[in-house]
Amino acid sequence: MVLTEKQKELIERFGVLNEKYGLPPAECRVWGLFLVADKVELTFEEIMETLHLSKGGTSTALNRLMMTNHVEYITKLGDKKRYFRCKLNNWTSMTKENFEKFDELNSILKEILEARDPKTHVFNKDLKQVTEFLDFIYKELMIAIEKWENKK
Amino acid sequence: MVLTEKQKELIERFGVLNEKYGLPPAECRVWGLFLVADKVELTFEEIMETLHLSKGGTSTALNRLMMTNHVEYITKLGDKKRYFRCKLNNWTSMTKENFEKFDELNSILKEILEARDPKTHVFNKDLKQVTEFLDFIYKELMIAIEKWENKK
DNA sequence: TTTATAGTTCAGCAAATATTGAACTAACTT
DNA sequence: AAGTTAGTTCAATATTTGCTGAACTATAAA
């Protein structure tokens, strides 16, 4: 598969952004490839060759993307190859999961608050405010997602 | 400064969680120390000794935390030491910034959509849905933050 | 039952990141 | 002006992480 310069650029930019969130470069590029490619179903070989990745690298990237639900594959009768494709219909649940991690931070903060020396009451009060703020935002988010789901 | 086992545990858990978001371990621990400590103002030496960090490591961690606005220091007349402390009153703006990065992803997705081959219309339609969803969530989030700020 | 294809696994290497510690600066103290 | 204290800088090293490529498994076809 031959990519245009624009497609290559988008893959890299998409990659760099996602690397900031802890994804390995190769995985970002595979994901990006799915997003910019002119076709929806890509084979293992195509991905490997288009991105100049090794077999192992391609395998790990695809498997991780499948584990995180960004990619799936279909098979075709009488054809051993897998046809990989990007899942787009799960962004609401992905977003939810993302913010659940955010909520985990809040849980720890609450536990910290619980364990704090009561003597530092100004600090404790401020920390309480933070956890209340995070609680509030989290709830509003969940409401927003629900709103969206009902709208459709 | 001597920490209880609970405090140590909380620092580590807080640390591991933040490492997932790309912060270096030492920096996470320093930040965590501020959150669990029995006092609010900590000196350079205290931090270094309590966490068994080197001078350089302590210095970098503190400076990074100050650059990202999590920590500040005050001084006292006739005292060369700095007294570092954790800032808690900026979580709303921090959260906002966080979500702005999230919005950056959406910008790239929109650009990708723009550049896509129109032939894959089902995929394109789904991707459009995703960007609309992210737009919606972002807006709702900003409204929520505003709501919180007015409540206070 | 051999050959070919599709993908996995993992040891070894390469590159990026984090941390140490020693030499340094800057300011105050005697 | 010599000594002390507080923190910075940065070269060297340690640790972590990502990727390759070759050996492997599993399935299908000849």
Side-chain angles (χ1 to χ4, degrees):
Chain A
M1 189 175 13
V2 181
L3 298 174
T4 65
E5 286 311 306
K6 183 66 185 173
Q7 283 174 317
K8 285 183 200 164
E9 182 216 312
L10 285 167
I11 289 176
E12 295 311 307
R13 281 173 52 206
F14 179 79
V16 169
L17 212 149
N18 279 292
E19 279 170 44
K20 279 193 208 149
Y21 297 105
L23 295 194
E27 190 178 333
C28 295
R29 290 197 180 95
V30 173
W31 193 4
L33 178 60
F34 279 110
L35 292 175
V36 306
D38 288 348
K39 38 183 187 167
V40 171
E41 289 171 4
L42 307 181
T43 66
F44 190 95
E45 222 195 348
E46 266 176 330
I47 295 165
M48 201 178 116
E49 284 174 357
T50 310
L51 298 177
H52 309 290
L53 280 175
S54 67
K55 272 190 150 197
T58 309
S59 177
T60 327
L62 281 171
N63 285 320
R64 289 195 42 151
L65 287 168
M66 288 195 289
M67 272 172 45
T68 48
N69 249 300
H70 296 303
V71 165
E72 64 186 348
Y73 68 84
I74 58 161
T75 49
K76 296 181 182 186
L77 210 75
D79 186 345
K80 202 161 47 149
K81 273 206 267 314
R82 293 173 189 172
Y83 293 83
F84 296 93
R85 59 187 190 190
C86 189
K87 291 174 79 175
L88 288 179
N89 56 344
N90 63 329
W91 273 72
T92 60
S93 58
M94 266 181 44
T95 307
K96 235 185 246 174
E97 275 166 39
N98 239 322
F99 288 122
E100 260 144 34
K101 275 184 207 152
F102 173 83
D103 198 46
E104 244 181 81
L105 174 72
N106 197 10
S107 302
I108 296 188
L109 289 182
K110 285 178 195 162
E111 228 178 296
I112 286 174
L113 189 56
E114 207 66 35
R116 279 194 67 85
D117 188 326
K119 278 190 204 102
T120 61
H121 41 272
V122 175
F123 188 94
N124 299 9
K125 200 195 71 213
D126 289 348
L127 187 54
K128 182 115 198 271
Q129 276 266 334
V130 172
T131 66
E132 281 168 2
F133 169 68
L134 294 178
D135 273 338
F136 176 75
I137 292 298
Y138 181 71
K139 265 185 214 138
E140 290 287 308
L141 248 170
M142 291 300 147
I143 292 169
I145 292 176
E146 214 177 302
K147 230 199 252 179
W148 175 266
E149 277 171 340
N150 291 334
K151 226 199 301 201
K152 287 193 310 189
Chain B
M1 188 175 15
V2 180
L3 298 176
T4 66
E5 285 312 307
K6 184 67 184 172
Q7 283 174 317
K8 285 184 202 164
E9 182 215 314
L10 285 167
I11 290 176
E12 295 311 309
R13 280 172 52 207
F14 179 79
V16 169
L17 212 149
N18 279 292
E19 281 171 41
K20 279 192 208 152
Y21 296 105
L23 296 193
E27 189 177 334
C28 294
R29 290 198 180 93
V30 173
W31 192 4
L33 177 61
F34 280 110
L35 292 175
V36 307
D38 289 347
K39 38 183 185 164
V40 171
E41 290 171 4
L42 307 181
T43 66
F44 190 96
E45 220 194 350
E46 266 177 328
I47 295 165
M48 199 177 116
E49 284 174 358
T50 311
L51 297 176
H52 310 289
L53 280 176
S54 65
K55 272 190 149 197
T58 309
S59 177
T60 332
L62 281 171
N63 285 319
R64 288 195 42 148
L65 286 167
M66 288 194 290
M67 273 172 46
T68 49
N69 249 299
H70 296 304
V71 164
E72 64 187 350
Y73 68 84
I74 57 161
T75 51
K76 296 180 181 187
L77 210 75
D79 186 345
K80 202 164 46 149
K81 275 207 265 313
R82 295 173 187 173
Y83 293 82
F84 296 93
R85 60 186 188 189
C86 189
K87 291 174 78 174
L88 289 178
N89 55 344
N90 62 333
W91 273 73
T92 60
S93 56
M94 268 182 42
T95 307
K96 232 187 247 174
E97 276 167 39
N98 241 321
F99 291 134
E100 261 144 32
K101 276 186 207 151
F102 173 82
D103 197 45
E104 245 183 81
L105 174 71
N106 199 10
S107 303
I108 295 189
L109 289 182
K110 285 177 195 164
E111 227 178 297
I112 286 175
L113 190 56
E114 208 65 35
R116 280 194 66 84
D117 189 327
K119 278 193 202 98
T120 61
H121 43 269
V122 175
F123 187 95
N124 299 9
K125 201 196 71 212
D126 289 349
L127 187 53
K128 182 112 198 273
Q129 277 266 333
V130 171
T131 66
E132 281 168 4
F133 169 68
L134 294 179
D135 273 337
F136 176 76
I137 292 298
Y138 180 71
K139 266 184 216 143
E140 291 286 309
L141 264 171
M142 291 301 146
I143 293 169
I145 292 176
E146 214 177 304
K147 228 198 252 179
W148 175 266
E149 278 172 339
N150 290 334
K151 220 187 329 194
K152 286 193 307 189

